[in-house]
Amino acid sequence: MNLKSLREEVLEANLELVRRGLVIFTFGNASGFDLESGLVVIKPSGVPYDQLKPADLVTTDLLGKIINSSFRPSSDLDTHLAIYRAFEGVHGVVHTHSRYATAWAQAGREIPCFGTTHADHFRGPIPVTPPMTDDEIKSDYELNTGHVIVRRFEGMDPLQTSAVLVSGHAPFCWGPTPAEAAHTAVVVEELAHMAFLTTAINPEAKPLSDTLREKHFLRKHGASAYYGQPVK
């Protein structure tokens, strides 16, 4: 992918967050990673979405070195970079402070898989990280946020569970492209809202059975998936 195309994709992912009501003011950010060039494109820090142009987006390498930009990158850059370095196949990362997903993060609770809508997208609960230590917060906070996420996913497939709640903070979502990461962020917010309503209606609600959860996830994402139309 050329840099121009990547900038356009990342801009579109950022604007999708606005269209879907997942960000306000200058909250949140989306980025994209091109494996061939090793370059990352991310929203600049503090620039209003309605003023963003492709040329405004900041390009860095995987170590955070800025490539030809007059803007500072998002303050969450190091978190995005940690995810790209650790999760093979991830080429888009989105961070929002969307209302319901952030509420679950602030509560320090994972989002349970209560129903088939959730299971269509995630093979189990959306995990939450442990709280960060004082030392992690005081030194290299954004990088350590990425490390906390990566540690939480030890033994997990980050492409089957493509989102996490950072305890006390907010959600990070990812995917094979910036567009798919943004799509996941929309889904996570909807599932967070549904889970909140479920617990309000029935505080004793139980997660979906393993059998029904697996059926719904695998019919969309398994080796023998039959949801939707075949790729021609």
Side-chain angles (χ1 to χ4, degrees):
M1 179 185 296
N2 63 49
L3 189 56
K4 180 177 182 293
S5 296
L6 183 59
R7 286 178 179 275
E8 291 171 350
E9 281 198 27
V10 172
L11 175 60
E12 178 60 23
N14 277 285
L15 296 180
E16 178 69 356
L17 304 183
V18 178
R19 288 193 291 264
R20 298 291 183 169
L22 301 188
V23 296
I24 59 173
F25 301 120
T26 60
F27 293 12
N29 40 73
S31 71
F33 169 53
D34 176 51
L35 180 62
E36 183 175 349
S37 67
L39 296 179
V40 172
V41 171
I42 192 167
K43 180 183 178 289
S45 180
V47 176
Y49 287 89
D50 60 3
Q51 296 177 17
L52 275 182
K53 302 181 294 295
D56 297 333
L57 300 175
V58 181
T59 302
T60 80
D61 64 16
L62 271 179
L63 297 177
K65 179 182 177 183
I66 296 175
I67 312 295
N68 296 330
S69 177
S70 58
F71 286 99
R72 288 191 296 182
S74 165
S75 57
D76 295 304
L77 172 65
D78 283 341
T79 309
H80 289 238
L81 295 179
I83 292 171
Y84 288 130
R85 290 193 295 262
F87 294 165
E88 185 177 356
V90 169
H91 298 283
V93 174
V94 162
H95 172 50
T96 76
H97 288 258
S98 58
R99 185 173 294 116
Y100 286 91
T102 298
W104 285 90
Q106 292 178 169
R109 289 189 58 188
E110 67 182 17
I111 301 175
C113 181
F114 283 128
T116 60
T117 307
H118 185 125
D120 281 340
H121 299 279
F122 289 92
R123 199 174 187 176
I126 298 171
V128 63
T129 67
M132 295 176 69
T133 67
D134 289 347
D135 286 344
E136 287 172 329
I137 295 167
K138 291 176 181 177
S139 63
D140 295 321
Y141 168 64
E142 290 81 11
L143 177 60
N144 286 328
T145 299
H147 290 167
V148 167
I149 292 170
V150 172
R151 286 199 301 271
R152 181 62 182 82
F153 273 75
E154 289 177 1
M156 297 175 63
D157 183 346
L159 292 179
Q160 287 195 347
T161 304
S162 53
V164 69
L165 307 177
V166 176
S167 182
H169 188 173
F172 282 82
C173 306
W174 51 81
T177 66
E180 289 177 82
H183 176 86
T184 296
V186 176
V187 171
V188 166
E189 179 62 8
E190 184 69 11
L191 298 179
H193 193 175
M194 288 182 180
F196 169 79
L197 294 174
T198 300
T199 57
I201 294 167
N202 179 8
E204 305 302 320
K206 303 298 183 185
L208 203 63
S209 72
D210 291 350
T211 302
L212 190 51
R213 182 197 67 224
E214 289 293 282
K215 178 65 176 180
H216 268 260
F217 183 84
L218 293 174
R219 73 175 188 164
K220 288 190 74 171
H221 307 285
S224 301
Y226 57 87
Y227 177 89
Q229 300 304 314
V231 178
K232 296 181 180 179

